[in-house]
Amino acid sequence: MAFIWEFLVCFCLGTVMMVNAELRVDCRPDYMSLVWTDGRSQADPSLFRLGSCFPTTVSPREASFSVTFDDCNFRRLVTGNELNYTNELIYTSSPDSYVHPFSLPVVCSFERPKDWYPLTYDPVFSTYGVEDLIFHIGLMKADFSGPAESNVFPLGSMIPILAAVDQQAHQPLLLLLEECTASTTPDLHPGANLYPLITNKGCLVDSKVSRSKFEPRRRLSEIDLSIQAFRFALGEEVFIHCSLVAWDPNGLDDTKKACHYTKDHGWELLDNPAYNSLCDCCESTCKSRKRRNLSEKHGLTKKAVVGPLTITA
């Protein structure tokens, strides 16, 4: 779908301790170009990245990018009458280089058209494979009856997430969420802005400060998680990074569990409240005990990402 945009302003801020270096940014309605020119060839142009993108062209003194806003992990933020696309120009450097790694923010700002609305959300379940297991994770409707129709959630509302595993020829498996962390980036990296949701091998720590909870199971191979929309990264794209674990239903222990906190009863185990004591370590450190494993060579664990989603005030 095409829109007619009114170009307002673009700018790139930041300084680098480098002489005779010039950065030019040209923002257009559907794409942008960026050119880094180094008059003294101090930096290696091939080591520049715009978000996740490599340079479009490289010369001995110049790195050029020509990309659309759908590329390179641009972040879109709508504030009042402004529509901002933000990213970072990153110089990765090499271990023996005297030019240290650095990054500069890149921003393209446009006046928001009066008739502009976000594109209709097309719900997609992410699918991941390990051994002969297929893992799925995605946003759901409020009653978990089907995929979500929107990825925008008002602050304080519930964000329903379903994770599942196709068991194939395996014995019946119990699906658990070992860790879940919210981030503003689709890939976790050192220094990323993070908000922990599930930590300590299955402890829904966010439930201590919110209405977040595990929903009653419908199937062993699925787990329904309701997260109360949080203040972290309001208005920005948010990605929820999780570690999914398929496990023996009879092999629960301190490190293989699903625990959430309730105001009246404290920590509770989702699958069998008679064993709530497995959740006691949620206030300290949950350590592994030797139990029957499904595979000695390969852990039945898979990293997965939900998103992007946006939380609005």
Side-chain angles (χ1 to χ4, degrees):
M1 183 180 295
F3 297 93
I4 298 176
W5 302 79
E6 179 183 350
F7 174 64
L8 183 62
V9 65
C10 75
F11 56 94
C12 181
L13 301 176
T15 59
V16 182
M17 297 303 293
M18 188 176 295
V19 180
N20 294 333
E22 180 184 6
L23 178 63
R24 302 191 306 276
V25 181
D26 184 15
C27 298
R28 301 290 175 168
D30 299 314
Y31 72 96
M32 64 91 66
S33 62
L34 181 151
V35 179
W36 172 276
T37 304
D38 183 357
R40 295 187 178 179
S41 300
Q42 293 176 295
D44 181 350
S46 67
L47 297 179
F48 280 98
R49 304 288 183 266
L50 179 59
S52 60
C53 288
F54 290 81
T56 307
T57 61
V58 172
S59 69
R61 295 172 182 261
E62 194 170 85
S64 300
F65 298 83
S66 182
V67 298
T68 71
F69 295 118
D70 291 329
D71 300 325
C72 313
N73 290 332
F74 270 93
R75 297 175 294 277
R76 183 178 63 193
L77 177 63
V78 179
T79 306
N81 291 324
E82 279 195 358
L83 178 65
N84 298 314
Y85 290 92
T86 66
N87 212 324
E88 286 185 306
L89 178 67
I90 303 167
Y91 185 68
T92 57
S93 189
S94 56
D96 57 348
S97 174
Y98 58 86
V99 179
H100 297 295
F102 63 88
S103 64
L104 296 173
V106 176
V107 182
C108 286
S109 297
F110 301 89
E111 183 176 353
R112 176 181 177 179
K114 294 181 181 179
D115 60 349
W116 182 87
Y117 296 95
L119 297 178
T120 301
Y121 173 57
D122 183 17
V124 176
F125 269 73
S126 299
T127 300
Y128 308 82
V130 58
E131 292 189 332
D132 58 346
L133 296 178
I134 305 298
F135 292 87
H136 310 276
I137 192 166
L139 298 172
M140 299 293 288
K141 294 179 179 178
D143 59 359
F144 290 88
S145 62
E149 297 175 350
S150 172
N151 64 342
V152 178
F153 298 90
L155 181 65
S157 66
M158 303 308 291
I159 303 173
I161 297 172
L162 168 70
V165 60
D166 292 341
Q167 301 183 144
Q168 307 294 322
H170 269 281
Q171 68 186 68
L173 298 175
L174 182 73
L175 189 69
L176 300 167
L177 292 172
E178 186 175 61
E179 311 282 340
C180 285
T181 301
S183 173
T184 54
T185 58
D187 299 305
L188 292 179
H189 55 81
N193 195 11
L194 306 177
Y195 180 78
L197 298 168
I198 299 175
T199 65
N200 215 356
K201 306 296 184 180
C203 301
L204 181 55
V205 292
D206 190 59
S207 62
K208 291 201 71 174
V209 295
S210 71
R211 293 185 290 117
S212 298
K213 62 179 179 177
F214 291 112
E215 302 290 350
R217 284 193 194 268
R218 295 171 292 175
R219 301 176 184 86
L220 287 178
S221 58
E222 297 179 357
I223 189 165
D224 295 337
L225 173 64
S226 293
I227 294 292
Q228 187 174 14
F230 36 82
R231 287 192 173 276
F232 172 78
L234 279 178
E236 298 183 49
E237 286 189 338
V238 172
F239 300 82
I240 298 178
H241 302 259
C242 293
S243 178
L244 282 59
V245 180
W247 206 251
D248 180 352
N250 298 315
L252 294 180
D253 64 16
D254 291 2
T255 64
K256 298 293 182 293
K257 62 189 185 303
C259 299
H260 58 213
Y261 189 87
T262 61
K263 183 177 179 181
D264 296 328
H265 300 95
W267 287 101
E268 293 186 344
L269 186 69
L270 169 65
D271 296 293
N272 190 343
Y275 292 91
N276 280 346
S277 59
L278 292 181
C279 302
D280 291 348
C281 64
C282 287
E283 295 294 341
S284 55
T285 302
C286 298
K287 298 180 180 179
S288 177
R289 301 175 184 176
K290 287 189 176 181
R291 293 290 183 96
R292 180 159 53 109
N293 199 333
L294 292 174
S295 171
E296 293 300 327
K297 292 184 178 180
H298 304 285
L300 299 178
T301 302
K302 193 64 182 177
K303 301 292 185 181
V305 182
V306 181
L309 59 94
T310 303
I311 300 172
T312 59

